[in-house]
Amino acid sequence: MPEPTPEEYEAYWDERYGEDDAGMWSGRPNGSLVAEVEGTEPGTVLDVGAGEGADAVWLAQQGWTVTAVEPSGVALGRARARALQAGVDVTWVHAGILEMPGGTGQYDLVSAQYPAIPTGDAAIEALLAAVAPGGTLLFVHHDMRERGHDHGHAHDHGDHASYTDEHEAGGHGHAEAADGPDFDPADFVMPADVAAHLGNDWHVEVDEIRVRPDTGLSEKAQGVPDLVLRARRR
């Protein structure tokens, strides 16, 4: 698909989040984030694609200094309310990863949990650049291959499942299935794309397919495989 402008990207997700006043996601932190981070020494963290704020709030409750970036103003409003209710401080940034202001190399952890980042070198480089020396990038996504997708065939014939449906089926927190945009999952940054950009200044600690931890998942989401990439900057 043609790369969306920041305005188009925000408008799409505002519309999606606006379809349900009760919220799109479950309100629980993502299981792979909890499994990888729980019990580690907290520092500074960038939550990429923060959505309605469940991950950011959980990280703040663990003692992390959290900056959360999210292009949807609707989602960000819910995230702010969630943080206020939980009594935690989070720095909320209304932007996509490419539009995010500030310096580089300043976060001990950059967390991207099932992000809808349109594919491109610039977005990947922005993710990597945000990680401080000695810091960690944790990038988790759905294993589309295990869900029976042939990206090329589906894209050519226009019969592929929506990205949003993949989120729902993957247990990312939807209450009900919903129709999403007709674009191929191959149009989004995936862990393999990020791994291909890692140079000698990175050490890959985890790069595997893993069944998502059960943190109260729906029956549809149980046993769903994820792609998990954890890499440390030297």
Side-chain angles (χ1 to χ4, degrees):
M1 68 174 180
E3 184 174 345
T5 66
E7 293 77 17
E8 289 171 337
Y9 195 62
E10 178 180 356
Y12 169 73
W13 285 108
D14 277 349
E15 181 179 355
R16 289 292 295 115
Y17 278 106
E19 289 174 357
D20 189 345
D21 291 339
M24 183 181 290
W25 310 121
S26 68
R28 298 185 298 270
N30 283 295
S32 290
L33 172 68
V34 174
E36 293 293 331
V37 173
E38 193 169 35
T40 64
E41 184 70 23
T44 56
V45 56
L46 176 65
D47 181 18
V48 178
E52 293 167 334
D55 285 354
V57 168
W58 180 82
L59 286 160
Q61 290 171 331
Q62 309 311 303
W64 289 81
T65 300
V66 184
T67 299
V69 57
E70 167 57 45
S72 169
V74 174
L76 210 58
R78 294 174 184 171
R80 288 192 176 103
R82 184 184 300 276
L84 182 63
Q85 184 178 32
V88 297
D89 291 325
V90 176
T91 299
W92 304 103
V93 180
H94 185 190
I97 185 64
L98 289 176
E99 296 76 44
M100 181 179 169
T104 60
Q106 59 185 356
Y107 296 101
D108 299 312
L109 172 65
V110 173
S111 172
Q113 306 293 310
Y114 316 99
I117 302 174
T119 189
D121 291 347
I124 297 172
E125 289 165 2
L127 282 172
L128 300 182
V131 183
T136 297
L137 172 69
L138 178 61
F139 195 102
V140 179
H141 225 301
H142 309 297
D143 184 5
M144 303 296 193
R145 298 165 301 176
E146 292 299 310
R147 295 191 57 76
H149 286 283
D150 178 334
H151 292 168
H153 179 277
H155 190 73
D156 290 343
H157 291 80
D159 59 357
H160 49 278
S162 73
Y163 179 86
T164 312
D165 285 339
E166 285 294 345
H167 259 42
E168 200 281 330
H172 193 57
H174 280 287
E176 300 291 343
D179 291 331
D182 287 335
F183 44 58
D184 194 284
D187 290 323
F188 292 90
V189 173
M190 300 296 284
D193 303 317
V194 177
H197 280 70
L198 300 178
N200 293 332
D201 56 339
W202 288 87
H203 172 61
V204 176
E205 298 177 329
V206 176
D207 186 5
E208 64 186 29
I209 300 172
R210 177 192 303 170
V211 173
R212 185 171 308 149
D214 185 353
T215 54
L217 299 176
S218 67
E219 182 177 348
K220 182 188 299 185
Q222 292 173 10
V224 172
D226 278 340
L227 304 172
V228 180
L229 175 68
R230 189 183 76 227
R232 183 174 297 276
R233 185 185 288 279
R234 300 183 193 275

